[in-house]
PDB file of all heavy atoms in Angstrom:
ATOM      1  N   ARG A  11      28.424  -3.524 -76.612  1.00  0.00           N
ATOM      2  CA  ARG A  11      28.672  -4.935 -76.283  1.00  0.00           C
ATOM      3  C   ARG A  11      28.090  -5.741 -77.436  1.00  0.00           C
ATOM      4  O   ARG A  11      26.914  -5.598 -77.759  1.00  0.00           O
ATOM      5  CB  ARG A  11      27.984  -5.327 -74.981  1.00  0.00           C
ATOM      6  CG  ARG A  11      28.672  -4.754 -73.781  1.00  0.00           C
ATOM      7  CD  ARG A  11      27.958  -5.173 -72.490  1.00  0.00           C
ATOM      8  NE  ARG A  11      28.674  -4.668 -71.356  1.00  0.00           N
ATOM      9  CZ  ARG A  11      29.460  -5.413 -70.575  1.00  0.00           C
ATOM     10  NH1 ARG A  11      29.582  -6.701 -70.820  1.00  0.00           N
ATOM     11  NH2 ARG A  11      30.100  -4.881 -69.571  1.00  0.00           N
ATOM     12  N   VAL A  12      28.930  -6.552 -78.048  1.00  0.00           N
ATOM     13  CA  VAL A  12      28.486  -7.333 -79.194  1.00  0.00           C
ATOM     14  C   VAL A  12      28.998  -8.767 -79.088  1.00  0.00           C
ATOM     15  O   VAL A  12      30.013  -9.029 -78.442  1.00  0.00           O
ATOM     16  CB  VAL A  12      28.939  -6.711 -80.537  1.00  0.00           C
ATOM     17  CG1 VAL A  12      28.270  -5.375 -80.769  1.00  0.00           C
ATOM     18  CG2 VAL A  12      30.441  -6.541 -80.593  1.00  0.00           C
ATOM     19  N   THR A  13      28.294  -9.668 -79.743  1.00  0.00           N
ATOM     20  CA  THR A  13      28.695 -11.067 -79.801  1.00  0.00           C
ATOM     21  C   THR A  13      29.358 -11.324 -81.141  1.00  0.00           C
ATOM     22  O   THR A  13      28.808 -10.994 -82.184  1.00  0.00           O
ATOM     23  CB  THR A  13      27.465 -11.980 -79.622  1.00  0.00           C
ATOM     24  OG1 THR A  13      26.871 -11.682 -78.353  1.00  0.00           O
ATOM     25  CG2 THR A  13      27.855 -13.443 -79.661  1.00  0.00           C
ATOM     26  N   VAL A  14      30.530 -11.917 -81.110  1.00  0.00           N
ATOM     27  CA  VAL A  14      31.293 -12.207 -82.324  1.00  0.00           C
ATOM     28  C   VAL A  14      30.631 -13.357 -83.070  1.00  0.00           C
ATOM     29  O   VAL A  14      30.444 -14.442 -82.508  1.00  0.00           O
ATOM     30  CB  VAL A  14      32.760 -12.549 -81.969  1.00  0.00           C
ATOM     31  CG1 VAL A  14      33.536 -12.953 -83.205  1.00  0.00           C
ATOM     32  CG2 VAL A  14      33.414 -11.363 -81.278  1.00  0.00           C
ATOM     33  N   GLN A  15      30.274 -13.115 -84.333  1.00  0.00           N
ATOM     34  CA  GLN A  15      29.567 -14.110 -85.131  1.00  0.00           C
ATOM     35  C   GLN A  15      30.468 -14.918 -86.053  1.00  0.00           C
ATOM     36  O   GLN A  15      30.093 -16.005 -86.481  1.00  0.00           O
ATOM     37  CB  GLN A  15      28.483 -13.422 -85.978  1.00  0.00           C
ATOM     38  CG  GLN A  15      27.409 -12.772 -85.145  1.00  0.00           C
ATOM     39  CD  GLN A  15      26.681 -13.767 -84.267  1.00  0.00           C
ATOM     40  OE1 GLN A  15      26.301 -14.845 -84.701  1.00  0.00           O
ATOM     41  NE2 GLN A  15      26.503 -13.425 -83.001  1.00  0.00           N
ATOM     42  N   SER A  16      31.635 -14.426 -86.376  1.00  0.00           N
ATOM     43  CA  SER A  16      32.536 -15.139 -87.275  1.00  0.00           C
ATOM     44  C   SER A  16      32.923 -16.490 -86.685  1.00  0.00           C
ATOM     45  O   SER A  16      33.246 -16.601 -85.507  1.00  0.00           O
ATOM     46  CB  SER A  16      33.803 -14.312 -87.510  1.00  0.00           C
ATOM     47  OG  SER A  16      34.788 -15.083 -88.147  1.00  0.00           O
ATOM     48  N   GLU A  17      32.897 -17.523 -87.529  1.00  0.00           N
ATOM     49  CA  GLU A  17      33.305 -18.860 -87.085  1.00  0.00           C
ATOM     50  C   GLU A  17      34.749 -18.863 -86.598  1.00  0.00           C
ATOM     51  O   GLU A  17      35.119 -19.664 -85.750  1.00  0.00           O
ATOM     52  CB  GLU A  17      33.117 -19.881 -88.205  1.00  0.00           C
ATOM     53  CG  GLU A  17      31.666 -20.185 -88.513  1.00  0.00           C
ATOM     54  CD  GLU A  17      30.917 -20.831 -87.353  1.00  0.00           C
ATOM     55  OE1 GLU A  17      31.510 -21.618 -86.602  1.00  0.00           O
ATOM     56  OE2 GLU A  17      29.724 -20.511 -87.191  1.00  0.00           O
ATOM     57  N   ALA A  18      35.571 -17.956 -87.153  1.00  0.00           N
ATOM     58  CA  ALA A  18      36.989 -17.877 -86.763  1.00  0.00           C
ATOM     59  C   ALA A  18      37.183 -17.055 -85.492  1.00  0.00           C
ATOM     60  O   ALA A  18      38.303 -16.941 -84.996  1.00  0.00           O
ATOM     61  CB  ALA A  18      37.803 -17.266 -87.890  1.00  0.00           C
ATOM     62  N   GLY A  19      36.119 -16.476 -84.970  1.00  0.00           N
ATOM     63  CA  GLY A  19      36.252 -15.576 -83.833  1.00  0.00           C
ATOM     64  C   GLY A  19      36.862 -14.264 -84.293  1.00  0.00           C
ATOM     65  O   GLY A  19      36.688 -13.852 -85.434  1.00  0.00           O
ATOM     66  N   LEU A  20      37.600 -13.616 -83.424  1.00  0.00           N
ATOM     67  CA  LEU A  20      38.249 -12.351 -83.779  1.00  0.00           C
ATOM     68  C   LEU A  20      39.727 -12.649 -84.051  1.00  0.00           C
ATOM     69  O   LEU A  20      40.628 -12.203 -83.351  1.00  0.00           O
ATOM     70  CB  LEU A  20      38.062 -11.327 -82.658  1.00  0.00           C
ATOM     71  CG  LEU A  20      38.205  -9.855 -83.027  1.00  0.00           C
ATOM     72  CD1 LEU A  20      37.371  -9.490 -84.251  1.00  0.00           C
ATOM     73  CD2 LEU A  20      37.806  -8.973 -81.867  1.00  0.00           C
ATOM     74  N   HIS A  21      39.946 -13.464 -85.074  1.00  0.00           N
ATOM     75  CA  HIS A  21      41.281 -13.893 -85.480  1.00  0.00           C
ATOM     76  C   HIS A  21      41.426 -13.703 -86.981  1.00  0.00           C
ATOM     77  O   HIS A  21      40.443 -13.585 -87.698  1.00  0.00           O
ATOM     78  CB  HIS A  21      41.498 -15.377 -85.143  1.00  0.00           C
ATOM     79  CG  HIS A  21      41.405 -15.653 -83.684  1.00  0.00           C
ATOM     80  ND1 HIS A  21      42.465 -15.485 -82.839  1.00  0.00           N
ATOM     81  CD2 HIS A  21      40.362 -16.048 -82.923  1.00  0.00           C
ATOM     82  CE1 HIS A  21      42.082 -15.784 -81.613  1.00  0.00           C
ATOM     83  NE2 HIS A  21      40.810 -16.127 -81.634  1.00  0.00           N
ATOM     84  N   ALA A  22      42.643 -13.697 -87.456  1.00  0.00           N
ATOM     85  CA  ALA A  22      42.965 -13.668 -88.884  1.00  0.00           C
ATOM     86  C   ALA A  22      42.189 -12.579 -89.634  1.00  0.00           C
ATOM     87  O   ALA A  22      42.266 -11.412 -89.279  1.00  0.00           O
ATOM     88  CB  ALA A  22      42.764 -15.047 -89.490  1.00  0.00           C
ATOM     89  N   ARG A  23      41.454 -12.969 -90.652  1.00  0.00           N
ATOM     90  CA  ARG A  23      40.756 -11.983 -91.492  1.00  0.00           C
ATOM     91  C   ARG A  23      39.742 -11.141 -90.706  1.00  0.00           C
ATOM     92  O   ARG A  23      39.717  -9.923 -90.858  1.00  0.00           O
ATOM     93  CB  ARG A  23      40.100 -12.668 -92.680  1.00  0.00           C
ATOM     94  CG  ARG A  23      39.384 -11.688 -93.596  1.00  0.00           C
ATOM     95  CD  ARG A  23      39.175 -12.267 -94.983  1.00  0.00           C
ATOM     96  NE  ARG A  23      38.349 -11.416 -95.802  1.00  0.00           N
ATOM     97  CZ  ARG A  23      38.750 -10.281 -96.369  1.00  0.00           C
ATOM     98  NH1 ARG A  23      39.980  -9.862 -96.189  1.00  0.00           N
ATOM     99  NH2 ARG A  23      37.927  -9.565 -97.109  1.00  0.00           N
ATOM    100  N   PRO A  24      38.890 -11.735 -89.871  1.00  0.00           N
ATOM    101  CA  PRO A  24      37.959 -10.897 -89.109  1.00  0.00           C
ATOM    102  C   PRO A  24      38.670  -9.853 -88.242  1.00  0.00           C
ATOM    103  O   PRO A  24      38.227  -8.720 -88.129  1.00  0.00           O
ATOM    104  CB  PRO A  24      37.174 -11.891 -88.258  1.00  0.00           C
ATOM    105  CG  PRO A  24      37.253 -13.166 -89.017  1.00  0.00           C
ATOM    106  CD  PRO A  24      38.617 -13.159 -89.657  1.00  0.00           C
ATOM    107  N   ALA A  25      39.788 -10.246 -87.642  1.00  0.00           N
ATOM    108  CA  ALA A  25      40.552  -9.293 -86.825  1.00  0.00           C
ATOM    109  C   ALA A  25      41.127  -8.187 -87.697  1.00  0.00           C
ATOM    110  O   ALA A  25      41.113  -7.020 -87.314  1.00  0.00           O
ATOM    111  CB  ALA A  25      41.671 -10.015 -86.071  1.00  0.00           C
ATOM    112  N   ALA A  26      41.631  -8.549 -88.874  1.00  0.00           N
ATOM    113  CA  ALA A  26      42.193  -7.550 -89.783  1.00  0.00           C
ATOM    114  C   ALA A  26      41.127  -6.559 -90.232  1.00  0.00           C
ATOM    115  O   ALA A  26      41.372  -5.343 -90.275  1.00  0.00           O
ATOM    116  CB  ALA A  26      42.825  -8.231 -90.986  1.00  0.00           C
ATOM    117  N   LEU A  27      39.937  -7.045 -90.549  1.00  0.00           N
ATOM    118  CA  LEU A  27      38.844  -6.146 -90.950  1.00  0.00           C
ATOM    119  C   LEU A  27      38.443  -5.224 -89.802  1.00  0.00           C
ATOM    120  O   LEU A  27      38.172  -4.038 -90.009  1.00  0.00           O
ATOM    121  CB  LEU A  27      37.640  -6.962 -91.428  1.00  0.00           C
ATOM    122  CG  LEU A  27      37.843  -7.766 -92.704  1.00  0.00           C
ATOM    123  CD1 LEU A  27      36.648  -8.672 -92.968  1.00  0.00           C
ATOM    124  CD2 LEU A  27      38.091  -6.839 -93.887  1.00  0.00           C
TER     125      LEU A  27
END
Side-chain angles (χ1 to χ4, degrees):
R11 287 180 177 257
V12 294
T13 301
V14 176
Q15 296 300 315
S16 168
E17 290 297 325
L20 202 50
H21 298 276
R23 181 159 173 75
L27 294 172

